[in-house]
Amino acid sequence: MKTVRYIQFFFANEKVSLNISYPKTYFKLNFNVMYQKKIIILDLLIMVLSLAVYRVLPLFAQGFMPMLSISIFAGAVIPNKKLAIALSLLSMLLSDFIFQFLFSKGMTNIAGFYQGQLVNYILFALLVIFGFALKKVNLKSVLLFSISGSLLYFVASNFVVWATHTGFSRPMTFGGLTMCYADAFAFYRDYGLVKGFAANFVLGDLIWSCLI
């Protein structure tokens, strides 16, 4: 399908008309490509900026981190699924480099690179895949996916802590597993945003989901 445009002008007091045709779909496709590139760049900037703010400012409590919200956000808004996973992990990696730099300068006591980091990256990649199911970005669905994602990450990450015998090295029994989850609740209760509230990890994810 071609679009026709007429250009009229005067030459030597004579009216001249030019008939110019061009494929309409060509401009439409190119516009879509440019728009998608801008969206991808904007998404990456938002992710890196959110993580950088969290890492640079030491006032944020435990559980008040944007990584989970960013992973679900990437899966929901970036059409290319492989690119969504890549951008989410890239933003985390850049943030970890920033954190490691601050750690080396004595500006924070938490290193950017740590034991079990690869497993954590895999969990966040799975959260991006979980975000693929978020088809309509509205308040109801964002709240639902944020709470669900928080619970999934909490269960999976602390299971890994128990299975790898890290943390408090709880016994490799069902009782030891429940003790590991109890440790996690106690940690968020004592060091979270709201003191005494064991589910601070959910609260932090809800706040970041609304901001992003």
Side-chain angles (χ1 to χ4, degrees), residues 106-167:
M107 299 174 66
T108 178
N109 59 352
I110 303 176
F113 300 107
Y114 49 88
Q115 182 182 3
Q117 189 167 16
L118 179 60
V119 175
N120 214 29
Y121 274 54
I122 293 173
L123 291 177
F124 282 113
L126 293 175
L127 284 173
V128 177
I129 297 174
F130 176 66
F132 293 160
L134 180 56
K135 302 300 182 182
K136 294 182 179 180
V137 182
N138 52 47
L139 182 60
K140 181 180 178 180
S141 59
V142 167
L143 292 178
L144 176 63
F145 272 76
S146 178
I147 295 173
S148 301
S150 296
L151 295 176
L152 287 173
Y153 179 78
F154 179 84
V155 171
S157 60
N158 285 286
F159 180 85
V160 171
V161 170
W162 170 76
T164 55
H165 216 57
T166 51

Side-chain angles (χ1 to χ4, degrees), residues 10 14 22-23 35 45-46 48 69 75 78 84-85 100 102-103 128 136 149 165 170-171 191 196 199 201 204 208:
F10 288 89
E14 294 291 334
Y22 55 86
Y35 178 75
L45 288 175
I46 290 174
V48 173
S69 302
I78 299 177
I85 295 174
Q100 185 64 30
L102 295 175
F103 176 75
V128 177
K136 294 182 179 180
H165 216 57
R170 296 304 187 184
Y191 299 100
F201 61 96
W208 276 108

Side-chain angles (χ1 to χ4, degrees), residues 23-39:
K24 184 177 181 180
T25 55
Y26 174 79
F27 287 94
K28 184 177 181 180
L29 289 173
N30 274 274
F31 175 78
N32 288 337
V33 170
M34 289 187 293
Y35 178 75
Q36 288 180 2
K37 287 182 178 179
K38 290 181 179 179
I39 290 297

